[in-house]
Amino acid sequence: MTSAPSPKLPDDDVRASNALALRAVAFAALFAVIVFGVDRLADWGARRGLQLLPHVPARELGRLRAAHGHTAFLGDSTVIYVPRRGHATAATEVGTLPLYRLLAERLDSEVPYLARPARAPHHLAAELDFLRESGTRPTAIVVAVNLRSLAPDRQLRPGVHDGALVAMLRSGLTLPVRGVSVLQYRFGADSPDEYAQRRFRLPDGSSAGVVEVDQPEGPPDSWSDEVVRRRFLLRYAAPWREPEQLLRLVDALTRIGAETDIPVVVYLTPLPLERYDRLLTDQDRAAIDTNLDALRAVLDVPGTVGLDLSRSLGPDDFVDAWHTPGEHMTHDARQQVTDRLVDALGRARELRRRP
Amino acid sequence: MLFNSLEFLLFLAVVFALYWRLRRKGQNTLVALASYVFYGCWDWRFLSLILLSTVVDFVAAKRMEQSTGGRRRAWLGVSLAVNLGLLGVFKYLDFGLASMAALLQALGFQVSLPVLGLILPVGISFYTFQTLSYSIDVYRGRLRATDDFIAFAAFVAFFPQLVAGPIERATHLLGQFHERRRFDPSLAADGCRQMLWGIFVKTVVADNCARLVDPAYAAVGEQTPAALLVATWLFAIQIYADFSGYSHVAIGCARLFGFDLMRNFAYPYFSTSPAEFWHRWHISLSTWFRDYVYIPLGGSRVGPLRHRVNVVITFVVSGLWHGAGFQFLVWGLYHGVLVAAQWWRARSAPTWPAGRGVIPELRTLVGMLVMFQVASVGWVFFRSADLADAVTVFARWIAPGEGTWSLASFRATVGGGGAIALGAATLMLAVEWLQRDRPHGLDVAQLRRPTRWMLYAAVGIVIFALGRREVVPFIYFQF
């Protein structure tokens, strides 16, 4: 087929396409204003208990505001975990209470459901900043910091990264942040494909893919001790990707400590270190200690009480399957932690009463 | 680079800004380059396959035009061999080897055939069919081979419809690359509206349905019959919203560049018969199979029995085009038998489906509901991971056990995220019902600008508030 000779550049087309582009920009500007207005309206409703936006991120702000006048227990799944029927390793675990409910019983006050699975230090920092800046005043704040939450495979996992939440808490905007999330802006998280191809480095310098380490072939019961050890190391001993998250948490705690009189307890969650100790080399133990030493920075913030529970429990106090090292505790262990938290809260209140 | 991503919107803005400042050849070059960048974002390694398909068909068509008889047929054979070969290797080889091994083992032979585990290049089923139509049409003398390689490369890889159609014919689209495009503001504005509607049905309707469908179909043996029924209905909505959403964005996007792509969906769930359904569902593929499989088989110019056999064969091949698995074969067979059984009632789809009234006649309403159920039965095969899962779903419905059909179990299934999915699906169907004489749900050019803009803003707010944040790839990318 012969092609027609190229005509001159059609100025009409350029002008008309520019006009459409301008209209699109004008609409985008108007839309931004409308989105902002709807967002403020939803926020106004949320402050009065009216949930206008029926989705999780909008509820995140509401749930934090709900801590006003109660004990705010921020943390990850170790705070809210309770075995479901069929998942409990012992029949006696079924029907037991999660940590935040045990604490509520001991304090005889309300401890709202605020924790979320896989909360990392930057989430906790954003939540603390939001509480402080929004004028929400809990009677006390307990912050659970889990070493696992800084593991590189956890930090980049698309489902739990939740950078949108951090952006939302920091900006106070829900609808715009959610909107760009719908348009696949990932706030620094990997896409599922990128994540599947990531390779992480273990403490001995060896590189291991997530799939290789976390999802070995064959049924879990058949996995060797070496496979379990590598999974354990990826969780607790691997070099962190974003150590600056700890600084953000320290900064948020410092501000809470300095600018409010709220009693604050920060604790490192118990870890199953003793349970897997027989698999570890001296180099592995040193790598875990290095990470724990860095993590302890959050325990020394002025105006707060720090509690290191990382080595406080024994090998039988954890309920996760052997091949999936985890920090979820038995009911007895949760009660032990509750005792320590009640004691620490008493000290934190005492600290706040001092002139 | 998903259509419903900021990345794509930015890409589109840049290409649009450059495009109308160029002359025709420059525009074609830009489209070809942009399309390769777009595809390279998925997987740059498979760009070589598109290039191979493009070069082979370009050369084969030229040679066909210059030769006659056996040589002409030989060049067509080259085109068919390369394109179908690519499809065969990347899409069907593993399935063929696994099926062969299973068959031999059933016959008592102990064999172990290797499974290659090849990745299916995204869009391969679409662009190979598009280039094949060009070669076949040149062979048949319906089209002259093009001398313009850049225009042809842009036609093959045209980014709006590269990875999931509509599967265009060279007779319709290639000529547009040879002509000067004029910017039509009203068409381009309608293209934007169509894109917005496509993103709405994809992110709000399809993706929220997927939230319920995926877990249900991931473990069909553990679901109640009620949950499976709701999941199947929702999948019927999901796949329609997902694929029609993609097509809307593709068509709307092409309009921004002065191209007219063929319509791919014409409100199929308002059909009252299988034949009408297939006049309205995935029109570009249905007509492709009609022109290049059904008619060469003899079409309707043969005896009644052979005619029905032709229909069934066409649908079975169409089923296998969707995926390498027996469940797709059965899905195609199911629809083939349905269409063949009532072919005498077949008619081309009217512009205005199901009558003109806002409230349909009872007979029409019943017909639509029955057709929706008939299509849903087929979707069980389509959605199931394999044939065994599909059989499990039907077994759960036939022998459900006590109490599992109760309304409580329906509510338990639909509760939570189901409310958003059902609400969004109802909204989409209601809007499309009212707009069913128009190409898409947001075709509102007749309204005044302030009203239109408030409507767009409302759709945008709904997308922001209810669209899913997780990455849910378009279903047809896997084909």
Side-chain angles (χ1 to χ4, degrees):
Chain A
M1 182 175 285
T2 53
S3 50
S6 288
K8 284 186 176 177
L9 192 64
D11 290 341
D12 288 351
D13 287 348
V14 176
R15 271 196 296 274
S17 61
N18 283 346
L20 183 78
L22 275 176
R23 254 163 52 204
V25 170
F27 175 73
L30 175 71
F31 182 62
V33 171
I34 293 173
V35 166
F36 187 80
V38 172
D39 187 68
R40 292 301 85 202
L41 182 67
D43 191 66
W44 176 85
R47 286 171 192 273
R48 285 151 186 80
L50 184 64
Q51 200 70 50
L52 295 176
L53 296 176
H55 51 67
V56 173
R59 284 200 291 270
E60 295 286 345
L61 272 66
R63 75 185 176 85
L64 285 171
R65 289 197 182 101
H68 191 86
H70 307 300
T71 300
F73 197 159
L74 307 177
D76 66 352
S77 61
T78 59
V79 176
I80 51 178
Y81 170 83
V82 63
R84 284 181 295 149
R85 193 172 295 280
H87 290 81
T89 48
T92 52
E93 286 293 318
V94 176
T96 56
L97 294 177
L99 190 56
Y100 80 98
R101 294 274 303 277
L102 288 172
L103 187 65
E105 282 194 350
R106 288 292 304 277
L107 297 176
D108 197 20
S109 71
E110 267 196 63
V111 179
Y113 182 98
L114 297 183
R116 287 289 185 275
R119 281 288 182 259
H122 69 303
H123 299 123
L124 300 173
E127 288 175 336
L128 287 168
D129 285 342
F130 179 81
L131 287 176
R132 182 174 50 78
E133 289 166 6
S134 67
T136 306
R137 287 292 172 266
T139 52
I141 299 175
V142 182
V143 184
V145 185
N146 188 342
L147 176 60
R148 167 86 169 104
S149 68
L150 280 151
D153 67 317
R154 173 67 67 83
Q155 293 253 301
L156 290 168
R157 193 182 292 269
V160 301
H161 179 278
D162 214 352
L165 172 76
V166 175
M168 198 174 59
L169 290 171
R170 292 211 179 284
S171 65
L173 300 172
T174 52
L175 194 59
V177 173
R178 193 178 194 284
V180 293
S181 303
V182 172
L183 294 176
Q184 308 298 322
Y185 184 72
R186 295 193 295 270
F187 293 94
D190 277 354
S191 70
D193 287 344
E194 286 167 347
Y195 183 72
Q197 289 166 15
R198 277 229 181 250
R199 301 188 76 78
F200 297 108
R201 200 165 290 281
L202 294 178
D204 61 3
S206 64
S207 175
V210 170
V211 174
E212 192 183 322
V213 170
D214 241 17
Q215 293 161 4
E217 288 185 4
D221 293 344
S222 69
W223 294 350
S224 67
D225 277 356
E226 178 54 19
V227 168
V228 175
R229 172 180 161 268
R230 288 164 71 84
R231 285 163 67 82
F232 178 87
L233 293 179
L234 187 63
R235 284 162 165 72
Y236 305 113
W240 297 337
R241 288 190 63 86
E242 294 185 40
E244 66 275 12
Q245 284 192 16
L246 269 189
L247 295 178
R248 279 185 223 152
L249 181 55
V250 169
D251 181 56
L253 287 167
T254 305
R255 286 171 188 274
I256 284 268
E259 296 175 21
T260 74
D261 57 358
I262 304 170
V264 179
V265 170
V266 190
Y267 75 98
L268 305 192
T269 62
L271 302 172
L273 302 179
E274 205 177 319
R275 190 182 186 200
Y276 292 89
D277 190 65
R278 70 175 177 81
L279 303 181
L280 306 179
T281 65
D282 286 344
Q283 190 187 3
D284 298 339
R285 293 187 190 95
I288 294 168
D289 284 340
T290 302
N291 281 350
L292 274 175
D293 284 344
L295 197 61
R296 288 190 185 103
V298 300
L299 304 180
D300 298 325
V301 178
T304 69
V305 169
L307 196 58
D308 183 0
L309 300 182
S310 57
R311 294 184 184 277
S312 65
L313 296 180
D316 299 327
D317 289 324
F318 297 92
V319 296
D320 300 286
W322 168 255
H323 50 77
T324 308
E327 315 80 41
H328 301 113
M329 297 166 279
T330 62
H331 184 66
D332 287 347
R334 293 199 295 274
Q335 283 184 319
Q336 286 181 48
V337 172
T338 306
D339 290 341
R340 301 287 300 272
L341 291 178
V342 170
D343 176 58
L345 274 170
R347 282 187 282 135
R349 290 197 181 96
E350 186 62 34
L351 182 70
R352 287 309 206 176
R353 274 190 216 111
R354 285 182 211 152
Chain B
M1 201 189 301
L2 288 173
F3 277 169
N4 53 314
S5 68
L6 288 172
E7 211 178 355
F8 178 74
L9 293 179
L10 185 65
F11 167 83
L12 185 62
V14 170
V15 178
F16 178 81
L18 294 174
Y19 181 84
W20 289 108
R21 279 154 182 77
L22 298 171
R23 294 184 174 86
R24 185 186 63 82
K25 287 198 170 182
Q27 289 176 335
N28 287 348
T29 307
L30 177 67
V31 167
L33 286 174
S35 299
Y36 275 62
V37 168
F38 177 79
Y39 193 85
C41 289
W42 293 106
D43 197 327
W44 60 268
R45 293 170 300 175
F46 295 129
L47 280 172
S48 56
L49 299 183
I50 297 183
L51 193 59
L52 174 69
S53 183
T54 305
V55 170
V56 166
D57 282 289
F58 181 78
V59 173
K62 287 299 295 176
R63 293 287 182 269
M64 262 187 266
E65 202 169 54
Q66 293 161 0
S67 51
T68 54
R71 286 181 70 85
R72 191 175 171 87
R73 269 196 300 279
W75 279 110
L76 176 66
V78 169
S79 169
L80 290 172
V82 169
N83 286 296
L84 296 179
L86 287 176
L87 264 184
V89 169
F90 284 95
K91 192 164 180 173
Y92 300 106
L93 186 59
D94 275 348
F95 171 64
L97 289 171
S99 303
M100 179 75 76
L103 178 66
L104 290 173
Q105 281 173 7
L107 294 173
F109 298 99
Q110 289 305 313
V111 290
S112 173
L113 296 175
V115 174
L116 303 178
L118 295 173
I119 301 169
L120 180 66
V122 66
I124 191 169
S125 305
F126 293 88
Y127 68 75
T128 50
F129 267 42
Q130 190 154 307
T131 53
L132 269 179
S133 81
Y134 168 71
S135 299
I136 296 170
D137 284 349
V138 171
Y139 174 79
R140 288 174 173 174
R142 290 182 182 169
L143 187 70
R144 290 200 60 192
T146 180
D147 295 319
D148 187 343
F149 180 75
I150 297 295
F152 184 68
F155 156 74
V156 175
F158 189 36
F159 70 87
Q161 41 89 249
L162 171 61
V163 290
I167 302 169
E168 278 293 342
R169 311 298 173 73
T171 46
H172 180 234
L173 183 59
L174 183 56
Q176 297 182 50
F177 280 98
H178 289 134
E179 293 162 3
R180 176 183 167 188
R181 270 85 65 183
R182 296 305 308 264
F183 185 80
D184 183 331
S186 59
L187 275 182
D190 194 56
C192 292
R193 283 191 283 272
Q194 193 161 6
M195 289 175 70
L196 183 61
W197 181 249
I199 290 172
F200 164 74
V201 297
K202 161 63 180 164
T203 59
V204 179
V205 183
D207 292 355
N208 278 306
C209 288
R211 195 197 297 270
L212 278 85
V213 174
D214 290 349
Y217 268 89
V220 291
E222 297 169 15
Q223 309 300 325
T224 65
L228 288 171
L229 187 62
V230 173
T232 303
W233 284 338
L234 286 175
F235 180 68
I237 299 294
Q238 181 200 345
I239 191 165
Y240 168 61
D242 190 282
F243 195 18
S244 70
Y246 179 92
S247 299
H248 285 313
V249 179
I251 293 166
C253 182
R255 282 182 157 192
L256 287 178
F257 299 99
F259 290 95
D260 172 44
L261 297 185
M262 71 183 295
R263 195 177 185 187
N264 219 13
F265 290 87
Y267 310 116
Y269 288 138
F270 301 150
S271 306
T272 54
S273 72
E276 187 185 353
F277 179 83
W278 282 103
H279 279 296
R280 298 185 176 283
W281 181 276
H282 202 173
I283 297 165
S284 65
L285 183 73
S286 304
T287 51
W288 198 100
F289 277 109
R290 181 196 66 198
D291 293 347
Y292 300 108
V293 178
Y294 171 72
I295 290 175
L297 283 172
S300 59
R301 291 165 289 131
V302 289
L305 180 62
R306 179 59 202 271
H307 171 214
R308 281 165 177 69
V309 171
N310 289 345
V311 171
V312 173
I313 289 172
T314 305
F315 272 93
V316 168
V317 176
S318 167
L320 281 175
W321 175 89
H322 284 83
F326 289 110
Q327 71 273 31
F328 293 108
L329 190 149
V330 174
W331 176 74
L333 183 66
Y334 169 76
H335 278 285
V337 169
L338 285 173
V339 173
Q342 54 104 61
W343 191 257
W344 65 93
R345 287 172 56 196
R347 55 193 167 85
S348 58
T351 309
W352 196 303
R356 283 176 169 269
V358 173
I359 298 171
E361 290 175 16
L362 183 62
R363 189 177 147 194
T364 307
L365 180 64
V366 171
M368 287 191 295
L369 290 175
V370 169
M371 189 54 226
F372 182 77
Q373 296 307 322
V374 167
S376 295
V377 168
W379 293 131
V380 173
F381 295 106
F382 197 94
R383 179 61 182 82
S384 297
D386 51 35
L387 203 51
D389 267 12
V391 171
T392 304
V393 173
F394 289 115
R396 299 284 292 151
W397 285 338
I398 293 166
E402 200 174 328
T404 46
W405 281 110
S406 70
L407 277 177
S409 71
F410 270 96
R411 276 199 296 273
T413 309
V414 174
I420 293 177
L422 285 178
T426 306
L427 177 65
M428 175 190 74
L429 291 175
V431 170
E432 291 199 339
W433 175 258
L434 296 173
Q435 291 280 85
R436 65 193 186 280
D437 64 329
R438 296 168 183 272
H440 60 89
L442 211 54
D443 184 350
V444 291
Q446 76 281 9
L447 299 179
R448 290 164 59 86
R449 182 177 289 174
T451 314
R452 285 202 312 265
W453 280 30
M454 292 318 287
L455 197 57
Y456 308 152
V459 174
I461 296 280
V462 172
I463 291 171
F464 273 27
L466 299 180
R468 259 186 87 178
R469 295 191 298 157
E470 298 84 0
V471 179
V472 187
F474 288 91
I475 293 172
Y476 265 69
F477 284 4
Q478 64 187 293
F479 305 135

